[in-house]
Amino acid sequence: MPLKHYSVLKGRPIAMRFGTGQSPHYQVHVVADNADFRIAVNVQSADGSEVAFLVRSHFVHPITDHLAALPVGLHPQPPKPASIALDFIRGNLMQPQEMIPLPLSVPGPDNDLNEKLDQFVQRALSNESAMVYAFGETWGPETKADNYFGFRPGRGIHDIHMNQGNPRGKFSGDNGPWQDGGLVFEFPDQKLWTAVFLKFQTQAWHTDDKTGDPIGGGTPTDPTTPPTGEMPDGLVRIIAALVNAVKTPEREVVTLLNTADRDIDLTGWMLADKQKNKMVLSGKIATGGTLAVVVQKPMELSNQGGIISLLDERGIKIHGVAYTKAQAKNPGLTIPF
């Protein structure tokens, strides 16, 4: 069963606590719509292994337009593409090689997860216009006071991490698509968005579209490792898209680059948009070469922002990108990725 109460919380952070103990969580006290909440962020996995993280200091994604328009408060989200839900894989929030393992707490500055999280929370605490958006599973309201900050009733949001790809066992029941956790910070006075994404090392990157359970296809842990047939992420990449053409009828184009040391047969491969509308590819792309693919129905590249995914003949995601409404507003210009 996937998460039961997947939601996004929008509010103002007012206090924090570092993660310590046997099940360490970085804690943030948030006020939203005249109510108190606690955000509990895992900074170590249950088996003691390191957590992989990604910080987007300048987060550019179409979801930010929807978040900015969201009222302050707690908002349940159905786990599907049409909602304001996160999916690390299908939402094209990152490439798997970007996730870096990091320990909970070690001597020295800015080299553990507590400090990585704290630098953005402290920045938001000192900026009265800043907002934090926490994606995850909610709990409460409870009859008792909060364990860390003492407000009543105790309530909050946790599972602020990837919530799919768990191997069979204790946490496999939490698997599901479009229900990943994350922290997004908005600094309106600077017109800046920042995001922090977390993933346990035991979680697989490629997952089933319906269940979120692991499927075949590995992912390299070293960003310098070239992609292979067994670990295909980035083997062929989306490097550009013409989203807002000036000609009629509109001609949308996606440009692919073959990074492999051999020609790649694209027969059976697919391009897909956020709504899972797909177009089937064919032919070959030469080693080191590019290919301009004219988008065909039912796939569409929205001028309001969107995502583009490249899938192989098995349905395994090879690469994906996202673009915003602002990036698509200039007619005739190609967006580079």
Side-chain angles (χ1 to χ4, degrees):
M1 293 290 290
L3 302 183
K4 295 180 179 179
H5 306 290
Y6 180 72
S7 304
V8 56
L9 171 67
K10 177 179 181 177
R12 275 282 303 135
I14 62 172
M16 52 67 62
R17 298 284 188 277
F18 281 116
T20 59
Q22 292 185 340
S23 180
H25 288 67
Y26 184 99
Q27 313 286 349
V28 185
H29 184 181
V30 170
V31 175
D33 195 23
N34 297 317
D36 293 274
F37 297 86
R38 173 163 56 91
I39 303 172
V41 186
N42 294 71
V43 287
Q44 188 178 62
S45 62
D47 63 4
S49 62
E50 293 179 351
V51 176
F53 85 104
L54 171 65
V55 172
R56 285 266 190 255
S57 298
H58 185 64
F59 181 49
V60 179
H61 194 278
I63 197 174
T64 58
D65 289 335
H66 301 291
L67 294 179
L70 202 64
V72 171
L74 185 66
H75 304 274
Q77 295 298 317
K80 57 185 182 181
S83 68
I84 308 176
L86 296 184
D87 190 306
F88 288 7
I89 305 166
R90 297 157 190 85
N92 293 349
L93 293 166
M94 69 203 69
Q95 308 305 324
Q97 297 93 334
E98 295 180 281
M99 303 292 283
I100 302 172
L102 201 67
L104 160 66
S105 181
V106 293
D110 195 28
N111 60 359
D112 58 53
L113 270 180
N114 266 323
E115 292 172 342
K116 292 290 183 183
L117 286 168
D118 195 56
Q119 63 177 308
F120 297 108
V121 173
Q122 292 296 337
R123 184 176 176 182
L125 288 171
S126 63
N127 186 329
E128 293 185 357
S129 67
M131 286 287 171
V132 61
Y133 302 79
F135 293 81
E137 177 83 330
T138 63
W139 80 83
E142 302 171 325
T143 56
K144 62 180 182 178
D146 181 74
N147 291 339
Y148 289 83
F149 301 106
F151 58 80
R152 290 180 180 270
R155 58 187 163 193
I157 187 166
H158 63 149
D159 288 339
I160 315 294
H161 49 70
M162 187 175 180
N163 290 305
Q164 57 183 310
N166 291 297
R168 183 173 296 180
K170 182 178 179 181
F171 299 106
S172 59
D174 294 337
N175 287 341
W178 292 103
Q179 57 160 30
D180 286 333
L183 280 181
V184 178
F185 299 89
E186 179 188 12
F187 302 97
D189 54 341
Q190 302 170 42
K191 296 182 179 180
L192 177 67
W193 294 82
T194 295
V196 179
F197 302 116
L198 305 173
K199 171 187 177 294
F200 299 126
Q201 288 182 292
T202 53
Q203 291 175 312
W205 180 255
H206 298 292
T207 66
D208 184 86
D209 279 344
K210 294 183 179 179
T211 66
D213 292 334
I215 58 176
T219 181
T221 56
D222 182 354
T224 64
T225 301
T228 65
E230 291 71 36
M231 295 184 290
D233 301 288
L235 193 69
V236 179
R237 299 181 183 180
I238 302 168
I239 60 170
L242 174 60
V243 174
N244 189 359
V246 294
K247 295 182 179 179
T248 304
E250 191 168 62
R251 184 175 181 268
E252 301 168 340
V253 179
V254 175
T255 304
L256 307 177
L257 168 68
N258 180 7
T259 71
D261 58 358
R262 64 191 186 280
D263 295 353
I264 297 293
D265 186 356
L266 298 178
T267 302
W269 289 40
M270 293 171 286
L271 284 173
D273 60 24
K274 183 176 182 179
Q275 305 305 324
K276 296 185 179 179
N277 298 316
K278 300 180 177 71
M279 64 167 290
V280 179
L281 305 179
S282 61
K284 292 185 177 182
I285 179 171
T287 178
T290 60
L291 178 67
V293 179
V294 178
V295 175
Q296 305 291 335
K297 298 289 187 181
M299 182 181 172
E300 293 185 48
L301 302 183
S302 171
N303 294 346
Q304 303 304 307
I307 65 174
I308 311 169
S309 299
L310 177 65
L311 314 174
D312 70 9
E313 74 281 0
R314 302 166 295 172
I316 298 292
K317 181 182 152 186
I318 304 301
H319 197 245
V321 296
Y323 62 93
T324 66
K325 180 180 179 180
Q327 289 176 305
K329 70 178 182 180
N330 297 311
L333 297 186
T334 294
I335 303 170
F337 300 112

